[in-house]
PDB file of all heavy atoms in Angstrom:
ATOM      1  N   CYS A 145      14.497   6.869  -1.942  1.00 98.00           N
ATOM      2  CA  CYS A 145      13.085   6.923  -2.362  1.00 98.00           C
ATOM      3  C   CYS A 145      12.444   8.231  -1.880  1.00 98.00           C
ATOM      4  O   CYS A 145      11.777   8.927  -2.650  1.00 98.00           O
ATOM      5  CB  CYS A 145      12.303   5.727  -1.801  1.00 98.00           C
ATOM      6  SG  CYS A 145      12.628   4.179  -2.655  1.00 98.00           S
ATOM      7  N   VAL A 146      12.660   8.543  -0.590  1.00 98.00           N
ATOM      8  CA  VAL A 146      12.058   9.764  -0.026  1.00 98.00           C
ATOM      9  C   VAL A 146      12.609  11.001  -0.768  1.00 98.00           C
ATOM     10  O   VAL A 146      11.852  11.920  -1.118  1.00 98.00           O
ATOM     11  CB  VAL A 146      12.324   9.861   1.495  1.00 98.00           C
ATOM     12  CG1 VAL A 146      11.840  11.188   2.060  1.00 98.00           C
ATOM     13  CG2 VAL A 146      11.649   8.696   2.222  1.00 98.00           C
ATOM     14  N   GLU A 147      13.905  10.999  -1.025  1.00 98.00           N
ATOM     15  CA  GLU A 147      14.512  12.145  -1.732  1.00 98.00           C
ATOM     16  C   GLU A 147      13.941  12.294  -3.140  1.00 98.00           C
ATOM     17  O   GLU A 147      13.644  13.406  -3.582  1.00 98.00           O
ATOM     18  CB  GLU A 147      16.037  11.959  -1.798  1.00 98.00           C
ATOM     19  CG  GLU A 147      16.720  12.220  -0.453  1.00 98.00           C
ATOM     20  CD  GLU A 147      18.145  11.668  -0.374  1.00 98.00           C
ATOM     21  OE1 GLU A 147      18.688  11.252  -1.428  1.00 98.00           O
ATOM     22  OE2 GLU A 147      18.705  11.645   0.730  1.00 98.00           O
ATOM     23  N   MET A 148      13.771  11.160  -3.834  1.00 98.00           N
ATOM     24  CA  MET A 148      13.233  11.206  -5.209  1.00 98.00           C
ATOM     25  C   MET A 148      11.785  11.704  -5.227  1.00 98.00           C
ATOM     26  O   MET A 148      11.403  12.522  -6.056  1.00 98.00           O
ATOM     27  CB  MET A 148      13.322   9.803  -5.822  1.00 98.00           C
ATOM     28  CG  MET A 148      12.748   9.661  -7.215  1.00 98.00           C
ATOM     29  SD  MET A 148      13.809  10.346  -8.494  1.00 98.00           S
ATOM     30  CE  MET A 148      15.113   9.118  -8.559  1.00 98.00           C
ATOM     31  N   VAL A 149      10.987  11.213  -4.275  1.00 98.00           N
ATOM     32  CA  VAL A 149       9.580  11.641  -4.169  1.00 98.00           C
ATOM     33  C   VAL A 149       9.518  13.143  -3.920  1.00 98.00           C
ATOM     34  O   VAL A 149       8.705  13.862  -4.521  1.00 98.00           O
ATOM     35  CB  VAL A 149       8.865  10.842  -3.041  1.00 98.00           C
ATOM     36  CG1 VAL A 149       7.571  11.514  -2.597  1.00 98.00           C
ATOM     37  CG2 VAL A 149       8.607   9.406  -3.502  1.00 98.00           C
ATOM     38  N   GLU A 150      10.416  13.654  -3.076  1.00 98.00           N
ATOM     39  CA  GLU A 150      10.407  15.097  -2.783  1.00 98.00           C
ATOM     40  C   GLU A 150      10.902  15.891  -3.981  1.00 98.00           C
ATOM     41  O   GLU A 150      10.314  16.909  -4.349  1.00 98.00           O
ATOM     42  CB  GLU A 150      11.214  15.358  -1.519  1.00 98.00           C
ATOM     43  CG  GLU A 150      10.377  14.873  -0.334  1.00 98.00           C
ATOM     44  CD  GLU A 150      10.968  15.128   1.039  1.00 98.00           C
ATOM     45  OE1 GLU A 150      12.071  15.672   1.124  1.00 98.00           O
ATOM     46  OE2 GLU A 150      10.298  14.742   2.015  1.00 98.00           O
ATOM     47  N   LYS A 151      11.970  15.400  -4.624  1.00 98.00           N
ATOM     48  CA  LYS A 151      12.536  16.102  -5.788  1.00 98.00           C
ATOM     49  C   LYS A 151      11.508  16.222  -6.921  1.00 98.00           C
ATOM     50  O   LYS A 151      11.397  17.264  -7.562  1.00 98.00           O
ATOM     51  CB  LYS A 151      13.771  15.342  -6.284  1.00 98.00           C
ATOM     52  CG  LYS A 151      14.520  16.026  -7.410  1.00 98.00           C
ATOM     53  CD  LYS A 151      15.719  15.227  -7.887  1.00 98.00           C
ATOM     54  CE  LYS A 151      15.442  14.664  -9.261  1.00 98.00           C
ATOM     55  NZ  LYS A 151      16.479  13.777  -9.790  1.00 98.00           N
ATOM     56  N   LEU A 152      10.755  15.154  -7.139  1.00 98.00           N
ATOM     57  CA  LEU A 152       9.778  15.157  -8.233  1.00 98.00           C
ATOM     58  C   LEU A 152       8.431  15.757  -7.815  1.00 98.00           C
ATOM     59  O   LEU A 152       7.489  15.790  -8.603  1.00 98.00           O
ATOM     60  CB  LEU A 152       9.577  13.747  -8.780  1.00 98.00           C
ATOM     61  CG  LEU A 152      10.802  13.119  -9.442  1.00 98.00           C
ATOM     62  CD1 LEU A 152      10.498  11.719  -9.951  1.00 98.00           C
ATOM     63  CD2 LEU A 152      11.331  13.975 -10.587  1.00 98.00           C
ATOM     64  N   LYS A 153       8.362  16.197  -6.547  1.00 98.00           N
ATOM     65  CA  LYS A 153       7.144  16.849  -6.033  1.00 98.00           C
ATOM     66  C   LYS A 153       5.890  15.970  -6.181  1.00 98.00           C
ATOM     67  O   LYS A 153       4.849  16.408  -6.670  1.00 98.00           O
ATOM     68  CB  LYS A 153       6.940  18.211  -6.708  1.00 98.00           C
ATOM     69  CG  LYS A 153       8.083  19.183  -6.464  1.00 98.00           C
ATOM     70  CD  LYS A 153       7.744  20.578  -6.939  1.00 98.00           C
ATOM     71  CE  LYS A 153       8.731  21.639  -6.554  1.00 98.00           C
ATOM     72  NZ  LYS A 153      10.128  21.322  -6.417  1.00 98.00           N
ATOM     73  N   VAL A 154       6.023  14.713  -5.765  1.00 98.00           N
ATOM     74  CA  VAL A 154       4.866  13.817  -5.770  1.00 98.00           C
ATOM     75  C   VAL A 154       4.511  13.356  -4.345  1.00 98.00           C
ATOM     76  O   VAL A 154       3.760  12.407  -4.150  1.00 98.00           O
ATOM     77  CB  VAL A 154       5.080  12.576  -6.682  1.00 98.00           C
ATOM     78  CG1 VAL A 154       4.987  12.961  -8.137  1.00 98.00           C
ATOM     79  CG2 VAL A 154       6.392  11.873  -6.375  1.00 98.00           C
ATOM     80  N   LYS A 155       5.034  14.081  -3.366  1.00 98.00           N
ATOM     81  CA  LYS A 155       4.823  13.701  -1.968  1.00 98.00           C
ATOM     82  C   LYS A 155       3.330  13.648  -1.612  1.00 98.00           C
ATOM     83  O   LYS A 155       2.899  12.782  -0.858  1.00 98.00           O
ATOM     84  CB  LYS A 155       5.545  14.728  -1.093  1.00 98.00           C
ATOM     85  CG  LYS A 155       5.672  14.344   0.340  1.00 98.00           C
ATOM     86  CD  LYS A 155       6.524  15.360   1.079  1.00 98.00           C
ATOM     87  CE  LYS A 155       6.251  15.268   2.557  1.00 98.00           C
ATOM     88  NZ  LYS A 155       7.008  16.269   3.308  1.00 98.00           N
ATOM     89  N   ASP A 156       2.562  14.591  -2.187  1.00 98.00           N
ATOM     90  CA  ASP A 156       1.147  14.670  -1.824  1.00 98.00           C
ATOM     91  C   ASP A 156       0.327  13.505  -2.371  1.00 98.00           C
ATOM     92  O   ASP A 156      -0.815  13.298  -1.932  1.00 98.00           O
ATOM     93  CB  ASP A 156       0.540  16.010  -2.261  1.00 98.00           C
ATOM     94  CG  ASP A 156       0.691  16.251  -3.753  1.00 98.00           C
ATOM     95  OD1 ASP A 156       1.636  15.693  -4.359  1.00 98.00           O
ATOM     96  OD2 ASP A 156      -0.135  16.970  -4.338  1.00 98.00           O
ATOM     97  N   ILE A 157       0.874  12.729  -3.319  1.00 98.00           N
ATOM     98  CA  ILE A 157       0.107  11.573  -3.823  1.00 98.00           C
ATOM     99  C   ILE A 157       0.842  10.246  -3.565  1.00 98.00           C
ATOM    100  O   ILE A 157       0.477   9.222  -4.149  1.00 98.00           O
ATOM    101  CB  ILE A 157      -0.228  11.708  -5.332  1.00 98.00           C
ATOM    102  CG1 ILE A 157       1.038  11.921  -6.187  1.00 98.00           C
ATOM    103  CG2 ILE A 157      -1.242  12.800  -5.576  1.00 98.00           C
ATOM    104  CD1 ILE A 157       0.821  11.630  -7.666  1.00 98.00           C
ATOM    105  N   THR A 158       1.867  10.274  -2.696  1.00 98.00           N
ATOM    106  CA  THR A 158       2.650   9.051  -2.461  1.00 98.00           C
ATOM    107  C   THR A 158       2.500   8.554  -1.020  1.00 98.00           C
ATOM    108  O   THR A 158       2.557   9.344  -0.079  1.00 98.00           O
ATOM    109  CB  THR A 158       4.149   9.322  -2.751  1.00 98.00           C
ATOM    110  OG1 THR A 158       4.276   9.768  -4.104  1.00 98.00           O
ATOM    111  CG2 THR A 158       4.991   8.059  -2.567  1.00 98.00           C
ATOM    112  N   ASP A 159       2.307   7.232  -0.880  1.00 98.00           N
ATOM    113  CA  ASP A 159       2.325   6.570   0.431  1.00 98.00           C
ATOM    114  C   ASP A 159       3.432   5.522   0.392  1.00 98.00           C
ATOM    115  O   ASP A 159       3.809   5.054  -0.677  1.00 98.00           O
ATOM    116  CB  ASP A 159       0.983   5.876   0.707  1.00 98.00           C
ATOM    117  CG  ASP A 159      -0.181   6.843   0.627  1.00 98.00           C
ATOM    118  OD1 ASP A 159      -0.083   7.948   1.192  1.00 98.00           O
ATOM    119  OD2 ASP A 159      -1.192   6.507  -0.022  1.00 98.00           O
ATOM    120  N   TYR A 160       3.936   5.143   1.584  1.00 98.00           N
ATOM    121  CA  TYR A 160       5.040   4.182   1.653  1.00 98.00           C
ATOM    122  C   TYR A 160       4.623   2.931   2.416  1.00 98.00           C
ATOM    123  O   TYR A 160       3.897   3.023   3.426  1.00 98.00           O
ATOM    124  CB  TYR A 160       6.226   4.792   2.400  1.00 98.00           C
ATOM    125  CG  TYR A 160       6.848   5.997   1.721  1.00 98.00           C
ATOM    126  CD1 TYR A 160       6.435   7.296   2.042  1.00 98.00           C
ATOM    127  CD2 TYR A 160       7.846   5.837   0.774  1.00 98.00           C
ATOM    128  CE1 TYR A 160       7.014   8.404   1.434  1.00 98.00           C
ATOM    129  CE2 TYR A 160       8.433   6.940   0.160  1.00 98.00           C
ATOM    130  CZ  TYR A 160       8.015   8.220   0.495  1.00 98.00           C
ATOM    131  OH  TYR A 160       8.580   9.313  -0.105  1.00 98.00           O
ATOM    132  N   ILE A 161       5.132   1.777   1.937  1.00 98.00           N
ATOM    133  CA  ILE A 161       4.964   0.521   2.673  1.00 98.00           C
ATOM    134  C   ILE A 161       6.293  -0.229   2.640  1.00 98.00           C
ATOM    135  O   ILE A 161       7.089  -0.059   1.705  1.00 98.00           O
ATOM    136  CB  ILE A 161       3.833  -0.373   2.074  1.00 98.00           C
ATOM    137  CG1 ILE A 161       4.063  -0.663   0.582  1.00 98.00           C
ATOM    138  CG2 ILE A 161       2.473   0.256   2.277  1.00 98.00           C
ATOM    139  CD1 ILE A 161       3.039  -1.616  -0.029  1.00 98.00           C
ATOM    140  N   SER A 162       6.533  -1.063   3.673  1.00 98.00           N
ATOM    141  CA  SER A 162       7.726  -1.919   3.659  1.00 98.00           C
ATOM    142  C   SER A 162       7.570  -3.050   4.674  1.00 98.00           C
ATOM    143  O   SER A 162       6.925  -2.878   5.712  1.00 98.00           O
ATOM    144  CB  SER A 162       8.988  -1.115   3.978  1.00 98.00           C
ATOM    145  OG  SER A 162      10.136  -1.952   3.836  1.00 98.00           O
ATOM    146  N   PHE A 163       8.183  -4.195   4.343  1.00 98.00           N
ATOM    147  CA  PHE A 163       8.269  -5.309   5.301  1.00 98.00           C
ATOM    148  C   PHE A 163       9.346  -5.041   6.347  1.00 98.00           C
ATOM    149  O   PHE A 163       9.393  -5.713   7.366  1.00 98.00           O
ATOM    150  CB  PHE A 163       8.625  -6.624   4.576  1.00 98.00           C
ATOM    151  CG  PHE A 163       7.464  -7.250   3.857  1.00 98.00           C
ATOM    152  CD1 PHE A 163       7.272  -7.049   2.498  1.00 98.00           C
ATOM    153  CD2 PHE A 163       6.563  -8.048   4.541  1.00 98.00           C
ATOM    154  CE1 PHE A 163       6.205  -7.643   1.833  1.00 98.00           C
ATOM    155  CE2 PHE A 163       5.493  -8.641   3.885  1.00 98.00           C
ATOM    156  CZ  PHE A 163       5.316  -8.432   2.521  1.00 98.00           C
ATOM    157  N   ASP A 164      10.248  -4.107   6.053  1.00 98.00           N
ATOM    158  CA  ASP A 164      11.374  -3.820   6.957  1.00 98.00           C
ATOM    159  C   ASP A 164      10.959  -2.718   7.934  1.00 98.00           C
ATOM    160  O   ASP A 164      10.731  -1.567   7.523  1.00 98.00           O
ATOM    161  CB  ASP A 164      12.595  -3.407   6.117  1.00 98.00           C
ATOM    162  CG  ASP A 164      13.848  -3.267   6.971  1.00 98.00           C
ATOM    163  OD1 ASP A 164      13.773  -2.617   8.048  1.00 98.00           O
ATOM    164  OD2 ASP A 164      14.898  -3.783   6.569  1.00 98.00           O
ATOM    165  N   TYR A 165      10.861  -3.069   9.202  1.00 98.00           N
ATOM    166  CA  TYR A 165      10.370  -2.137  10.233  1.00 98.00           C
ATOM    167  C   TYR A 165      11.288  -0.909  10.343  1.00 98.00           C
ATOM    168  O   TYR A 165      10.815   0.227  10.470  1.00 98.00           O
ATOM    169  CB  TYR A 165      10.307  -2.895  11.560  1.00 98.00           C
ATOM    170  CG  TYR A 165       9.556  -2.195  12.661  1.00 98.00           C
ATOM    171  CD1 TYR A 165       8.225  -1.829  12.518  1.00 98.00           C
ATOM    172  CD2 TYR A 165      10.180  -1.945  13.880  1.00 98.00           C
ATOM    173  CE1 TYR A 165       7.537  -1.210  13.544  1.00 98.00           C
ATOM    174  CE2 TYR A 165       9.487  -1.327  14.925  1.00 98.00           C
ATOM    175  CZ  TYR A 165       8.174  -0.965  14.750  1.00 98.00           C
ATOM    176  OH  TYR A 165       7.492  -0.354  15.770  1.00 98.00           O
ATOM    177  N   ASP A 166      12.614  -1.148  10.273  1.00 98.00           N
ATOM    178  CA  ASP A 166      13.568  -0.031  10.371  1.00 98.00           C
ATOM    179  C   ASP A 166      13.400   0.935   9.205  1.00 98.00           C
ATOM    180  O   ASP A 166      13.543   2.149   9.357  1.00 98.00           O
ATOM    181  CB  ASP A 166      15.010  -0.559  10.394  1.00 98.00           C
ATOM    182  CG  ASP A 166      15.265  -1.431  11.620  1.00 98.00           C
ATOM    183  OD1 ASP A 166      14.741  -1.103  12.696  1.00 98.00           O
ATOM    184  OD2 ASP A 166      15.961  -2.455  11.480  1.00 98.00           O
ATOM    185  N   VAL A 167      13.114   0.376   8.030  1.00 98.00           N
ATOM    186  CA  VAL A 167      12.860   1.220   6.852  1.00 98.00           C
ATOM    187  C   VAL A 167      11.622   2.088   7.097  1.00 98.00           C
ATOM    188  O   VAL A 167      11.635   3.300   6.844  1.00 98.00           O
ATOM    189  CB  VAL A 167      12.695   0.342   5.584  1.00 98.00           C
ATOM    190  CG1 VAL A 167      11.973   1.102   4.466  1.00 98.00           C
ATOM    191  CG2 VAL A 167      14.057  -0.152   5.095  1.00 98.00           C
ATOM    192  N   CYS A 168      10.555   1.468   7.617  1.00 98.00           N
ATOM    193  CA  CYS A 168       9.324   2.232   7.900  1.00 98.00           C
ATOM    194  C   CYS A 168       9.617   3.385   8.868  1.00 98.00           C
ATOM    195  O   CYS A 168       9.174   4.524   8.643  1.00 98.00           O
ATOM    196  CB  CYS A 168       8.262   1.321   8.504  1.00 98.00           C
ATOM    197  SG  CYS A 168       7.543   0.153   7.341  1.00 98.00           S
TER     198      CYS A 168
END
Side-chain angles (χ1 to χ4, degrees):
C145 284
V146 174
E147 286 163 10
M148 177 76 74
V149 163
E150 286 184 359
K151 185 181 109 185
L152 295 180
K153 299 190 171 31
V154 286
K155 192 174 160 182
D156 57 334
I157 56 162
T158 302
D159 303 314
Y160 296 93
I161 56 176
S162 185
F163 282 97
D164 187 313
Y165 192 58
D166 297 322
V167 161
C168 288

